[in-house]
Amino acid sequence: MQALWMVLGAFFFASMAVCVKLASAGFTTAELVFWRGVLGMGLLWLLARRQGVGLATRYPGMHAWRSLIGVLSLGASFYALAYLPLATAMTLNYMSSVWVAAFLIGGTLITWNPRAGFGPALRQGPLALTVLAGFAGVVMMLRPTVDPDSLFAALVGLLSGFTAAFAYMQVMALGKLGEPEARTVFYFAVGSAVGGAIAMAFTGISRWHWEHAIWLLPIAALAALGQLCITRAYSHGATLVVASLQYSGIVFAALYSLLLFGEHIPAQGWAGMALIVASGLAATALRARAAPHAPAEEH
């Protein structure tokens, strides 16, 4: 059942991405972030109440920092979804596992003392290979699928995965302090509403059209459902199989991209996506040895 919950959660997140892409035709990225936050606050409050989780926290500063990084990642992801093929944007966001691996390597090298020998540095070799493979996959995927006019959106999409890795590490820190995930996700929704409102002061407010506005509630609902399913999947421990199945979201995104939007992805692009998934799976496996009880990533 854990595996099924993870696949279902990945399906909900991929479906949310579809709604974001459809809604982006009538709303700016700032507005989408704002509405996901506002509507998500209500849904997550009900979820926390159902689980008996209080929303008061002793770590407001850590939640604020996690929300800031998370909102930057969310905004970058929404922007990429608006201007890139769905599968391409989703895959770039799923690079977060590779970025986490890169951070682990960097941390080891920074603290490495050459006098202690080369063992600690050499043990990072497999992780380094996953990072190199991941970025090789990015190059393979973007060269055939992204035209020069969309290059900025591709860089923003890559940034979404980078900042998602930072947010994930902050979630890990909050988890070690005993903060329930429902509380952490609720404050992220609060941060999304605040951050989106601040950005809207600069980008303006779009005219309300129901053919686009109808997708706002599904965005928040599918995000909440996806997070609930992933939490269920990890409820009995973060097994490697369950953690790896998060990448089924890319499969769902690829199917949506082909069936709903008719987006063409050349063979080299598919090969790049496969390499990114493979490197992400390897990074997840290697990371599981170092942090076997790490919380779920959010997409």
Side-chain angles (χ1 to χ4, degrees):
M1 286 302 296
Q2 287 177 267
L4 292 176
W5 281 118
M6 176 57 79
V7 171
L8 187 59
F11 171 75
F12 284 138
F13 277 122
S15 301
M16 181 204 72
V18 172
C19 296
V20 169
K21 194 168 186 66
L22 293 171
S24 64
F27 294 97
T28 64
T29 298
E31 289 173 305
L32 293 177
V33 170
F34 169 77
W35 284 111
R36 174 179 161 169
V38 169
L39 297 172
M41 282 170 58
L43 294 172
L44 292 165
W45 176 79
L46 292 173
L47 175 62
R49 185 174 181 180
R50 183 172 178 269
Q51 295 178 344
V53 175
L55 296 178
T57 180
R58 293 182 295 170
Y59 311 104
M62 292 186 67
H63 280 287
W65 176 243
R66 181 266 181 271
S67 294
L68 174 63
I69 301 298
V71 169
L72 288 174
S73 175
L74 183 67
S77 176
F78 281 9
Y79 184 89
L81 285 168
Y83 294 100
L84 294 175
L86 181 68
T88 302
M90 285 281 290
T91 305
L92 290 174
N93 184 252
Y94 273 81
M95 276 284 291
S96 56
S97 289
V98 179
W99 283 113
V100 170
F103 296 158
L104 292 174
I105 295 171
T108 299
L109 294 179
I110 289 173
T111 59
W112 173 50
N113 183 359
R115 296 179 180 177
F118 290 91
L122 292 176
R123 282 194 292 270
Q124 300 303 313
L127 265 181
L129 290 176
T130 66
V131 173
L132 292 175
F135 285 109
V138 170
V139 173
M140 291 175 63
M141 182 179 67
L142 295 185
R143 286 189 66 183
T145 60
V146 176
D147 56 66
D149 294 335
S150 302
L151 182 59
F152 178 73
L155 293 175
V156 172
L158 198 58
L159 177 66
S160 73
F162 178 76
T163 49
F166 271 110
Y168 172 73
M169 296 179 76
Q170 190 68 11
V171 170
M172 286 183 65
L174 285 165
K176 290 179 179 179
L177 293 173
E179 285 289 90
E181 191 162 343
R183 184 184 300 159
T184 300
V185 178
F186 173 81
Y187 282 114
F188 171 53
V190 173
S192 298
V194 173
I198 293 173
M200 284 165 60
F202 298 94
T203 62
I205 300 176
S206 304
R207 293 186 62 181
W208 192 271
H209 296 286
W210 279 107
E211 63 267 29
H212 302 130
I214 196 173
W215 301 107
L216 295 177
L217 183 57
I219 288 173
L222 288 167
L225 287 171
Q227 193 58 51
L228 176 61
C229 290
I230 290 178
T231 302
R232 287 281 185 90
Y234 280 87
S235 60
H236 298 291
T239 67
L240 177 58
V241 172
V242 171
S244 299
L245 284 173
Q246 66 178 310
Y247 288 93
S248 62
I250 295 179
V251 177
F252 292 126
L255 292 174
Y256 279 138
S257 188
L258 292 171
L259 299 177
L260 295 183
F261 300 103
E263 296 166 337
H264 174 68
I265 300 176
Q268 184 178 335
W270 286 110
M273 289 173 59
L275 188 55
I276 291 172
V277 171
S279 64
L281 289 171
T284 299
L286 293 169
R287 189 183 69 215
R289 298 178 183 177
H293 301 293
E297 293 181 58
E298 299 168 25
H299 299 284

